[in-house]
């Protein structure tokens, strides 16, 4: 299946029933995961690559590398649209509360102030 043109990606994301993060492991938070969550899409991910996601609350998590559990998450969310919607809305709320640019700037500023204070 060919990928949609870049300008059509937001529409494709909004029309998705669920969003998948098949990375077994990664450093930090995958930006695509945050994009999925910000778009209120229910996510299925491995727990080892989804910091901040809480299984059954803000997404569906499978133990790292457990492909059967990952597939179970996909099937569960496709078969339970109410659960999928609830997880998607909770994921968006999490991103709004914890991942805004303003909050990131505050955290950076606080870190810089602490580092400067340590040097003086």
């Amino acid at each position: 299946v060919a990928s949609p043109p870049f300008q059509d990606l937001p529409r494709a994301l909004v029309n998705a029933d669920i969003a998948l993060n098949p990375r077994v492991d990664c450093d930090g938070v995958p930006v695509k995961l945050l994009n999925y969550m910000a778009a209120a899409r229910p996510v299925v991910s491995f727990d080892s690559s989804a910091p901040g996601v809480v299984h059954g609350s803000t997404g569906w998590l499978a133990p790292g590398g457990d492909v059967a559990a990952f597939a179970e998450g996909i099937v569960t969310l496709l078969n339970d649209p109410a659960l999928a919607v609830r997880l998607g809305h909770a994921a968006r709320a999490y991103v709004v509360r914890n991942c805004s640019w303003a909050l990131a700037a505050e955290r950076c500023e606080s870190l810089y102030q602490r580092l400067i204070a340590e040097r003086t």
Side-chain angles (χ1 to χ4, degrees):
V1 175
S3 296
F6 181 75
Q7 67 270 15
D8 293 342
L9 287 177
R11 188 171 343 133
L13 178 57
V14 168
N15 289 327
D17 291 327
I18 59 173
L20 307 177
N21 177 35
R23 287 182 169 179
V24 174
D25 193 27
C26 70
D27 293 330
V29 179
V31 173
K32 72 177 172 181
L33 181 65
L34 293 177
N35 288 333
Y36 296 162
M37 294 170 73
R41 298 297 87 205
V43 298
V44 176
S45 182
F46 291 109
D47 59 2
S48 51
S49 65
V53 176
V54 176
H55 179 71
S57 177
T58 56
W60 184 280
L61 295 177
D66 187 341
V67 176
F70 190 87
E72 177 187 348
I74 295 169
V75 171
T76 298
L77 294 183
L78 289 175
N79 287 332
D80 190 344
L83 174 61
V85 167
R86 183 175 59 78
L87 293 180
H89 287 299
R92 175 160 172 75
Y94 171 84
V95 170
V96 168
R97 276 191 322 272
N98 297 291
C99 303
S100 71
W101 283 110
L103 185 57
E106 287 175 22
R107 289 176 180 158
C108 284
E109 182 179 6
S110 175
L111 173 64
Y112 292 148
Q113 287 176 348
R114 196 170 62 244
L115 292 171
I116 290 169
E118 289 175 4
R119 292 191 60 113
T120 58

